[in-house]
Amino acid sequence: MGRVHTSVLISTYAAAAFAALVTVVLWLSMLRRYKRRILMMRLGCYHFDKTKYAGLNAANYPGLQTIHSALGFVLLFLTAFTIGMACQPELVPIIVQNGMFLVKTVAWVIALKLVAKFIVSHFIIAQFTIRHRRLWAFFDFAWIFVNVVSILLLSAIRLVVGIFLTTLYFARMDESMADPSVEHVDPGYGSYVSMLMIDHMYNNPIFTVFTDMLIKRMKDVRLHRKESLLSRSMRSR
């Protein structure tokens, strides 16, 4: 029990440190991108369609960003904690024993890729030019069955990478989790873009300087009118 308790404590502290570090790095990266996008927008370059977003959604950004940051930290912590517990010395022999199948599968996939790269790409097809159509037709048909293991492995890798990237970037609302054509339906990204647009419009240096000059001019005109009225009333007396 003492060894298990120590392992849990080590995994907990390491996972917390990892999650905190990644969260800080993501925040710094998000702030840098925010600054870069603001500067690009002031040059007239927008990375989104302004007609698909509303300024009202900007009010949702502080709450959504807080919740996303907290949930992102929890997801990173749980992921790191699970990996830390799985890497305990007592579990390493079991993982190695069951991992031989994965090693053999990876070796098979690498061998297939080498064959496709150094033989097929040199003698049958070069870039997009098919040199021997009959050989290519045979290879294309046979590759469907030979490459089944590779396809399953690549599909599993894509799934794992997708889950990992979603977990990693969940706290960042400057990246939409939807396709670019429908990214405006993402409430987090929509609120981020709305807040970005309002910040760009009302904190633009050119706009603020212009409005300050305009307000100052209006005050001068009003003051001049009051002085004129006062001087006229003094003359009439």
Side-chain angles (χ1 to χ4, degrees):
M1 289 296 294
R3 182 179 298 179
V4 174
H5 181 69
T6 304
S7 300
V8 171
L9 286 179
I10 294 175
S11 299
T12 301
Y13 292 141
F18 171 79
L21 178 62
V22 172
T23 301
V24 171
V25 171
L26 291 178
W27 263 95
L28 293 176
S29 177
M30 185 171 58
L31 292 175
R32 289 182 60 186
R33 175 174 288 186
Y34 183 88
K35 180 180 179 180
R36 185 167 61 251
R37 283 179 170 174
I38 282 288
L39 294 177
M40 293 301 296
M41 289 170 66
R42 289 170 183 170
L43 294 175
C45 300
Y46 296 86
H47 66 282
F48 55 88
D49 186 359
K50 295 185 292 184
T51 61
K52 295 182 179 180
Y53 300 92
L56 181 63
N57 295 329
N60 299 328
Y61 178 77
L64 283 173
Q65 184 62 75
T66 302
I67 296 298
H68 276 66
S69 297
L71 289 178
F73 177 85
V74 172
L75 290 174
L76 289 171
F77 172 80
L78 292 176
T79 303
F81 179 79
T82 303
I83 295 175
M85 291 300 297
C87 294
Q88 297 302 319
E90 296 83 0
L91 299 178
V92 170
I94 301 176
I95 296 175
V96 172
Q97 183 179 0
N98 294 327
M100 291 305 298
F101 174 76
L102 181 61
V103 172
K104 294 178 181 178
T105 304
V106 172
W108 172 254
V109 172
I110 293 175
L112 291 178
K113 296 302 180 182
L114 291 176
V115 170
K117 182 178 178 70
F118 293 103
I119 298 180
V120 178
S121 61
H122 282 76
F123 297 100
I124 299 179
I125 183 172
Q127 197 65 18
F128 295 103
T129 303
I130 300 177
R131 296 175 177 175
H132 305 282
R133 294 191 177 184
R134 292 184 178 179
L135 291 178
W136 169 253
F138 173 77
F139 169 79
D140 191 26
F141 178 75
W143 194 253
I144 298 174
F145 304 98
V146 175
N147 206 30
V148 170
V149 178
S150 175
I151 292 174
L152 292 175
L153 179 62
L154 293 176
S155 300
I157 291 176
R158 187 171 187 266
L159 178 62
V160 172
V161 170
I163 295 174
F164 175 75
L165 293 178
T166 302
T167 303
L168 183 63
Y169 287 98
F170 182 80
R172 293 190 58 167
M173 288 174 39
D174 59 332
E175 289 288 348
S176 176
M177 301 179 69
D179 186 83
S181 60
V182 292
E183 62 185 7
H184 58 280
V185 303
D186 185 350
Y189 183 74
S191 63
Y192 167 81
V193 170
S194 300
M195 182 269 302
L196 189 71
M197 191 65 189
I198 288 180
D199 188 9
H200 160 64
M201 292 180 61
Y202 293 97
N203 290 325
N204 192 319
I206 298 176
F207 178 79
T208 54
V209 171
F210 172 74
T211 52
D212 288 341
M213 294 176 62
L214 186 62
I215 292 173
K216 184 178 180 181
R217 178 61 179 170
M218 292 175 61
K219 290 182 179 180
D220 293 340
V221 170
R222 290 177 181 177
L223 180 61
H224 180 69
R225 288 180 179 177
K226 290 182 180 179
E227 291 178 351
S228 300
L229 292 175
L230 182 61
S231 61
R232 288 179 183 178
S233 62
M234 294 294 293
R235 291 176 183 177
S236 62
R237 293 180 181 178

